[in-house]
Amino acid sequence: MAKQLIINQTLNECRAVLMENGEILDFLMERSTEGEGKVPQVGDIFKGIVLRVLPGMQSAFVDIGWEKAAFLYVDDAYIPTLEEQREMAEKTKKMIESQVRVGEVIPDEFSTLNESVNMRFRPSHTTIESFLKEGQEILVQVAKEPISTKGPRITRQITLAGRHVVFMPFIEHTGVSRRIENESERERLKNILDAVRPEGQGIIARTVAEGQSQKTLKSDYNMLVKIWKEIQKKSEKSKPSMVCYRDLNFIQRLLRDITDEDVSEVIVDSKENQKEVDKFCAKYLPLIKGKSRLYDEQAPIFEKYGIDMEIERAISNKVYLRSGGSLNIDQTEALVSIDVNTGKFVGRKNLEETILRTNMEAVKEIAYQLRLRNCGGIIIIDFIDMEREEHRVTVYNHLIDALKKDRSKTNVLPISGLGLVEMTRKRTRDTLTRVLCEPCPYCEGTGRVKSTLTVCYDLIRELIKVLGKATGTKVFIYAHPEVTARLCGDDLDMIENLEEAYGKSLQIRSENNYHIEQYEIFSQEF
């Protein structure tokens, strides 16, 4: 089906959306900064210096020149020998053949490497402190961008992505994207890659490599090898904590990673971006050449295509379904929880049909929101309880189908007896909510504050302690206006009783700049 790539530029912010039939398949954005403040992107390569090695966590922190140290886990830090790779690849192959898989895995392009080869080549007896020392200079690549308060996650197992293939200088492997399902095509590509790949190195055919000639794939591979040689030369000359390679710029990465022959047009609202698109497509993407169009209408481009409204929905905790039902989506540090509710939808025939229709509609919206919000990690979906087993199977199968549009790898377990779906989704960058929003400074990100009545009772308990120790005749109370209004109104009897019991005069004052939970109590000493 025809797709559209829509790119919006506003000063230093560039936003892009891949759409199909009016539905957002992918949303990406970048706010450019220059120099040392530039956020490390997935694929960037640095010459780092080891700051700390933590044997208790089998990990290390590495300075790559950013404000936060990068995290390096032991399995990502170990570079295996060729013999270790071949031995582990054989063991992994036997293990995969014998294991029973629970749930459904929907792969991304690199699943062939993660599952078939298993990049954890490290012998079990080898610890991080045995091969990594503090002060050691190492070449590392960003595997996961900084998320929330965490620094970037890095690896020493470098991969370089081209348009059609991925090159791995340290891993011996030939792979084909699992999203290419035709077995004869997979075999053809594997034979081509085996002929291209030298011993001791690896190459993976990306999804867009389907149907491409050996000449095209070899040309892509040779370009990546050339880039790798330039990186090696630069790393030898560079000082520690310096960048050795930046991945393509934002526009180029969009065209390389999320476009295919189904893209009918690339719509941009900036002449500079249109030139960048045309230049890149002319050199690397002949099928998309000439498909760019400059948007020059008065209405903003994202408003014209209804994208701004979808982004607003994506940063809200509650998403309404067309039937009247709703989704409650809560993102925490530990997991993402999604609760499905019938809301105003009451159905027509019976309860089971109403529940099934709501869950089926929710499935499509859940897959859409996960992509748009870039939710990752553990995800728990609480569907409305279904009594019939066939209804559970139907909803589960539709969820699997809906997730196939996602570029990220997902692993989905069947619906449990409690009506829950447990799944994971691979995440390499921060969520949309964290990118566009920040924690509320008033509630400190909790989403709630103490009620006025609760604060009043807290204040009264503290006041009784002060009255018991006060030697003066007056006690001053400073609090938020809503709290003082409550003390002087409905709870006035309580204040009068305390004045009478302790023989003190209570002076209540409102402070407009106080937080609702803030108050101060002190006595006037003579």
Side-chain angles (χ1 to χ4, degrees), residues 234-252:
K234 188 171 182 179
S235 67
E236 292 172 0
K237 300 176 183 177
S238 298
K239 296 178 180 179
S241 308
M242 295 293 290
V243 62
C244 294
Y245 170 75
R246 292 276 188 199
D247 201 2
L248 302 178
N249 65 41
F250 183 67
I251 299 293
Q252 293 169 344

Side-chain angles (χ1 to χ4, degrees), residues 49-53 60-64 69-70 133-136:
I49 183 167
V50 180
L51 296 177
R52 293 183 66 195
V53 177
F61 286 98
V62 180
D63 180 12
I64 61 172
K133 307 297 179 184
E134 291 183 7
Q136 183 177 340

Side-chain angles (χ1 to χ4, degrees), residues 337-348:
S337 66
I338 304 176
D339 184 35
V340 182
N341 298 302
T342 54
K344 298 178 181 179
F345 182 55
V346 295
R348 294 181 179 180

Side-chain angles (χ1 to χ4, degrees), residues 11 35 53 63 81 89 113 149 206 217 224 240 253 261 263 338 356 381 387 403 507-508 510:
L11 299 177
V53 177
D63 180 12
T81 63
L113 183 64
T149 58
R206 305 187 70 175
L217 299 181
L224 296 175
R253 291 201 308 272
E261 61 274 11
V263 173
I338 304 176
L356 178 62
I381 306 172
E387 293 184 2
L403 290 170
Q507 306 292 314
I508 301 174
S510 296

Side-chain angles (χ1 to χ4, degrees), residues 397-414:
N397 290 337
H398 274 73
L399 177 61
I400 298 300
D401 290 338
L403 290 170
K404 287 180 180 177
K405 291 183 179 180
D406 201 331
R407 288 197 304 129
S408 295
K409 178 182 176 182
T410 54
N411 187 2
V412 190
L413 298 184

Side-chain angles (χ1 to χ4, degrees), residues 404-469:
K404 287 180 180 177
K405 291 183 179 180
D406 201 331
R407 288 197 304 129
S408 295
K409 178 182 176 182
T410 54
N411 187 2
V412 190
L413 298 184
I415 298 178
S416 70
L418 297 175
L420 303 177
V421 168
E422 302 168 59
M423 64 174 285
T424 59
R425 183 177 183 272
K426 185 178 178 181
R427 180 179 63 192
T428 57
R429 63 184 193 275
D430 220 340
T431 63
L432 182 67
T433 304
R434 288 201 183 107
V435 170
L436 298 181
C437 308
E438 60 184 22
C440 170
Y442 200 82
C443 69
E444 297 181 346
T446 63
R448 61 186 65 85
V449 292
K450 288 182 179 180
S451 68
T452 305
L453 186 58
T454 299
V455 176
C456 285
Y457 278 108
D458 287 345
L459 188 153
I460 293 297
R461 281 187 282 270
E462 184 66 25
L463 177 61
I464 292 172
K465 287 166 58 180
V466 172
L467 288 172
K469 299 176 182 178

Side-chain angles (χ1 to χ4, degrees), residues 93-111:
K93 183 179 178 181
K94 293 178 180 178
M95 182 183 68
I96 291 175
E97 290 173 353
S98 61
Q99 73 181 5
V100 178
R101 173 171 285 163
V102 178
E104 185 75 22
V105 176
I106 303 170
D108 59 5
E109 289 192 306
F110 300 103
S111 295

Side-chain angles (χ1 to χ4, degrees), residues 54 87 99 170 179 185 291 315 331 414 440 442-443 447:
L54 307 174
E87 182 182 348
Q99 73 181 5
F170 299 134
R179 296 208 167 193
E185 177 62 12
K291 292 184 178 180
I315 60 176
Q331 301 178 52
C440 170
Y442 200 82
C443 69

